[in-house]
Amino acid sequence: MKVAIVLGTRPEIIKFSPIIREFERLGLDYFILHTGQHYSYNMDRVFFEQLELPEAKYNLDVGSGSHAEQTGKMLIGVEKVLVSEQPSIVLVEGDTNTVLAGALAAVKLGIKVGHVEAGLRSYDRQMPEEINRVLADHCSDLLFALTEKSRQILLG
């Protein structure tokens, strides 16, 4: 089984680091797809270095833009990589445009999606992150809830 870890922001790099280390320790077949949502040294590269993480196999270098531009570029790039790599599952974490693009590209290709931090809610639909987290949860096959409250939200 091949796993695609889709990340693109500082929090995703940090929060995926223990998972990546465990995949390395177990010798699992995985790759990192970095969207480039965060791209400056201080928001990206420094965390790979300090956390001693392997380089991303792919970096889409998407950068800034409106939500639509950024997510659209990511969706196109993620889809191309997933078609080429044919992973069994895609893991996403959180509530960023990277998460939405990763989950949406995978589910449309019939690839299973695992969402880490599933079930978190602000209930503020003015926040783009709220839309991303709800849609990612609905696209996902595996929902990794961090708290009992998040679990109850997902069950409700």
Side-chain angles (χ1 to χ4, degrees):
M1 171 172 47
K2 183 189 291 188
V3 178
I5 295 175
V6 178
L7 53 73
T9 67
R10 174 188 49 82
E12 292 160 352
I13 297 164
I14 294 167
K15 292 175 184 179
F16 263 134
S17 65
I19 295 169
I20 293 167
R21 276 198 217 88
E22 189 65 7
F23 280 23
E24 286 283 316
R25 187 183 76 75
L26 295 171
L28 299 180
D29 187 10
Y30 82 97
F31 65 93
I32 300 170
L33 191 172
H34 192 316
T35 64
Q37 184 172 340
H38 285 174
Y39 48 87
S40 73
Y41 177 81
N42 289 332
M43 292 293 281
D44 175 50
R45 184 79 248 130
V46 69
F47 294 100
F48 277 89
E49 291 172 4
Q50 290 181 354
L51 295 168
E52 299 177 354
L53 298 175
E55 295 286 325
K57 184 171 183 180
Y58 300 93
N59 191 320
L60 303 179
D61 291 316
V62 168
S64 299
S66 72
H67 288 288
E69 291 170 324
Q70 190 179 62
T71 307
K73 287 178 188 174
M74 288 177 195
L75 190 56
I76 292 165
V78 170
E79 180 185 66
K80 287 179 183 175
V81 171
L82 297 181
V83 166
S84 171
E85 287 282 347
Q86 294 293 304
S88 305
I89 188 166
V90 170
L91 293 180
V92 294
E93 182 282 325
D95 59 10
T96 65
N97 289 340
T98 292
V99 170
L100 179 60
L104 191 57
V107 76
K108 287 191 170 264
L109 291 170
I111 300 169
K112 291 198 179 305
V113 178
H115 185 201
V116 178
E117 285 193 353
L120 296 181
R121 297 291 184 270
S122 69
Y123 298 104
D124 180 356
R125 293 181 64 93
Q126 299 292 319
M127 295 175 58
E129 296 84 0
E130 180 71 359
I131 304 303
N132 291 346
R133 62 176 69 106
V134 169
L135 293 174
D137 283 349
H138 283 280
C139 288
S140 296
D141 301 282
L142 300 169
L143 299 165
F144 300 100
L146 300 179
T147 67
E148 181 58 31
K149 182 177 182 179
S150 296
R151 183 179 164 289
Q152 290 303 319
I153 288 168
L154 293 167
L155 291 172

